[in-house]
Amino acid sequence: MQTFSIRRPAVHSAHGLVAAQNRHAAQAGADVLSRGGNAMDAAVVAALVLSTVEPWLSGIGGGGFLVHADGRTGATETLDFNVRSAAGLDPADYPLADAQAGNWFSWPSVVGERNVSGYGAICVPGAIAGLAAALDRHGSISWEEALQPAIEHAERGLEIDWFAALCIAIEVPGLARDPVLSAILLDDGHGPKAGADTRRFKPMALKAKLLRRLAKAGARDFYEGESAASIAADLEAGGSPLRARDLAAYEVVWAPALTGRYRDFDIAAVPGLSGGPTFFDAAQCLADGPLSRETSPAQAALLNATAIRAAYEKRLNTLGHAATPQAGCTSHVSVVDRSGTMVSLTNTLLSRFGAKVALPQSGVIMNNGMMWFDPRPGQPNSIAAGRKPLANMCPLVLSQGGRPVLAIGAAGGRTIFPTVLQLISGLSDFGLSLEEAFHRPRIDASTPRIKIDARAEADVAATVATAFPVEIVEDTLYPVNFSIPSAVMAAEHGFIGMAHPTSPWAAVVAAAS
């Protein structure tokens, strides 16, 4: 059997860094820093580019969260721009296929999977409102300037290499059911073949046209102007309960950070319907245990599994469900500028390609936010009209001495906060460098069986198995068994950044001096 090891070195810079799941997005953000822009400028630009160059994970048809921490004052603030259900939605339109199924780890399916794919699965997207609000509050460049890199990528088209071809091929049956999405991404109903020189592109003319209009008309045009009218018309024609009034009523929410502490770190998270509260539950459980630098990897894995499992039981019984059928369907960006200001931003379509619907007049790939609601009535997060669902996204900024030192987050549904917790524990409990922490094998305790990375020490699985059922898995590109993190961190003489080692497109790009 052939074995090999993949290493990704940390990137160092004194002028700022952008860590993202796509090299083009990271480069676009770093270019903004190089021109004198700040962390929020770079984060918004990177997120907008991600919506074009990696459309299966996030986009302007989705929503998300961010945490901003000022490098000079240490002040933190959060922004909720997650998706919202239609005001006229009727929960009866989502009948259960099996009313007897479901427990605190899963729930019954809906007839026809109406909450998972198609127009019935779509919620009001918050990405455009959120990114524009973030730029207006903490940025220094104009909205029109922020959109330019995304417009250029849309006009050039989606780059098709072997990885893009793989990501599209995985979802061909679902993509083929929507004629607009099929026309944008497929070749005569089949997955595209990667060009030998990786320079094959699929044009995104409708998306480019919409972005150009938003650059001139402003972000609110997406919700109240000509763009909103076309979006609402397409949604209604497709059978969505969303109407023009739902778009016009959408608002983002700025709020003080939910704060807590783990070891020597003060941590800022998004409050409310995010992964933040559950992260703190698990972190407190871990902090109360016997974990120390002398703890063996096997015992550390068991302690992490116990903490994560207890936190999830509380979350799924008291807050409700927020699940995705597969991990990795989100994008995260971590940014630091030369002043030390940090932004941790997570944006998602939920599933791969969201609802697997692209709107005919704008080409926007829409989210399947209804999937984040528990379809069982009478639950904390049951399907309801005009509400935001419970989300798994967990962007964090960690501080020491009143100044931000680490912006971190991940993509991957329920696997997000378990990954972030283990990375932070690696730094604080075991004295690992950021690079060492990112390469350390992890577990995932967000499913009934604890997943153990096959690269872990030989006794890890046996030790965890004394308390939980386990499954040994590879850290593969597909299926995505562990989440895909990125982080930037303050270091001596500047900053360091890391992206997920096994992700072929992930990158950290430094700002030029």
Side-chain angles (χ1 to χ4, degrees):
M1 181 178 69
Q2 183 180 13
T3 60
F4 58 92
S5 177
I6 297 174
R7 300 288 302 182
R8 185 190 296 274
V11 176
H12 298 254
S13 172
H15 309 291
L17 295 165
V18 180
Q21 289 168 222
N22 183 281
R23 62 192 182 279
H24 295 306
Q27 184 66 61
D31 288 345
V32 172
L33 296 180
S34 300
R35 294 194 297 268
N38 63 30
M40 189 62 86
D41 298 328
V44 169
V45 167
L48 287 167
V49 170
L50 279 169
S51 77
T52 300
V53 300
E54 205 169 54
W56 45 88
L57 297 182
S58 68
I60 62 174
F65 302 129
L66 69 80
V67 181
H68 176 270
D70 191 287
R72 295 184 174 89
T73 68
T76 59
E77 191 174 26
T78 71
L79 179 62
D80 175 348
F81 55 99
N82 199 18
V83 300
R84 181 183 291 274
S85 63
L89 178 144
D90 184 355
D93 290 338
Y94 300 84
L96 301 181
D98 181 0
Q100 302 305 311
N103 56 36
W104 65 274
F105 254 127
S106 63
W107 61 76
S109 61
V110 167
V111 172
E113 294 194 324
R114 177 176 167 79
N115 63 328
V116 175
S117 61
Y119 280 84
I122 300 170
C123 287
V124 180
I128 288 294
L131 297 176
L135 197 67
D136 183 63
R137 195 176 186 102
H138 291 294
S140 67
I141 64 174
S142 69
W143 173 244
E144 184 175 8
E145 183 180 348
L147 277 167
Q148 290 312 304
I151 292 171
E152 292 169 8
H153 278 284
E155 290 175 338
R156 184 190 69 169
L158 178 64
E159 182 177 346
I160 303 297
D161 63 3
W162 68 270
F163 185 58
L166 169 66
C167 292
I168 295 171
I170 290 166
E171 300 294 343
V172 164
L175 301 179
R177 287 195 290 269
D178 183 77
V180 181
L181 200 53
S182 179
I184 294 171
L185 295 169
L186 304 183
D187 293 341
D188 297 323
H190 302 283
K193 293 181 173 59
D197 60 358
T198 73
R199 300 297 294 174
R200 183 176 178 227
F201 300 96
K202 293 190 73 65
M204 305 180 80
L206 290 174
K207 176 81 169 286
K209 181 180 178 181
L210 173 67
L211 294 179
R212 285 196 299 271
R213 173 162 181 81
L214 294 177
K216 297 297 184 184
R220 285 309 299 179
D221 192 71
F222 189 93
Y223 298 92
E224 298 178 270
E226 180 181 308
S227 300
S230 72
I231 291 169
D234 284 346
L235 288 168
E236 184 172 1
S240 168
L242 290 170
R243 297 293 182 266
R245 63 181 179 273
D246 293 302
L247 294 170
Y250 185 86
E251 294 182 354
V252 302
V253 179
W254 288 100
L258 176 67
T259 58
R261 189 170 178 84
Y262 187 78
R263 310 304 189 200
D264 295 331
F265 290 116
D266 294 307
I267 304 178
V270 176
L273 299 172
S274 75
T278 308
F279 167 85
F280 281 124
D281 286 338
Q284 186 62 57
C285 184
L286 201 61
D288 290 342
L291 189 65
S292 71
R293 194 162 296 197
E294 287 70 44
T295 304
S296 70
Q299 285 298 320
L302 178 57
L303 291 170
N304 272 278
T306 302
I308 293 165
R309 182 55 57 87
Y312 255 119
E313 184 169 7
K314 177 182 177 182
R315 176 183 180 86
L316 300 183
N317 280 317
T318 62
L319 297 179
H321 288 269
T324 51
Q326 51 186 248
C329 308
T330 301
S331 289
H332 181 79
V333 180
S334 296
V335 183
V336 61
D337 63 25
R338 68 185 64 224
S339 75
T341 294
M342 293 187 176
V343 175
S344 182
L345 186 158
T346 312
N347 186 22
T348 188
L349 290 173
L350 280 75
S351 295
R352 284 179 183 269
F353 297 103
K356 297 179 178 62
V357 165
L359 300 183
Q361 297 183 69
S362 62
V364 176
I365 300 174
M366 301 299 288
N367 69 83
N368 58 336
M370 292 306 302
M371 189 186 65
W372 264 347
F373 290 100
D374 190 333
R376 300 172 300 172
Q379 302 300 312
N381 186 42
S382 292
I383 291 175
R387 292 187 183 177
K388 289 184 177 181
L390 178 66
N392 295 301
M393 295 174 285
C394 190
L396 303 175
V397 174
L398 282 63
S399 299
Q400 288 180 321
R403 296 294 183 271
V405 296
L406 176 69
I408 190 169
R414 286 188 183 178
T415 70
I416 291 175
F417 98 75
T419 285
V420 174
L421 177 63
Q422 290 171 82
L423 290 171
I424 292 171
S425 175
L427 298 172
S428 56
D429 292 316
F430 296 97
L432 301 179
S433 68
L434 190 63
E435 182 175 333
E436 290 169 336
F438 265 65
H439 286 91
R440 187 185 191 202
R442 301 192 303 268
I443 67 164
D444 179 64
S446 66
T447 61
R449 301 176 71 85
I450 308 294
K451 293 181 179 180
I452 311 290
D453 192 323
R455 299 175 299 125
E457 288 81 354
D459 58 343
V460 169
T463 301
V464 176
T466 62
F468 305 100
V470 303
E471 178 184 6
I472 299 175
V473 299
E474 299 284 347
D475 185 7
T476 53
L477 294 178
Y478 188 83
V480 182
N481 290 310
F482 305 96
S483 71
I484 303 171
S486 67
V488 293
M489 188 173 186
E492 189 175 3
H493 307 305
F495 311 101
I496 59 173
M498 276 297 300
H500 189 50
T502 59
S503 177
W505 275 9
V508 181
V509 180
S513 58

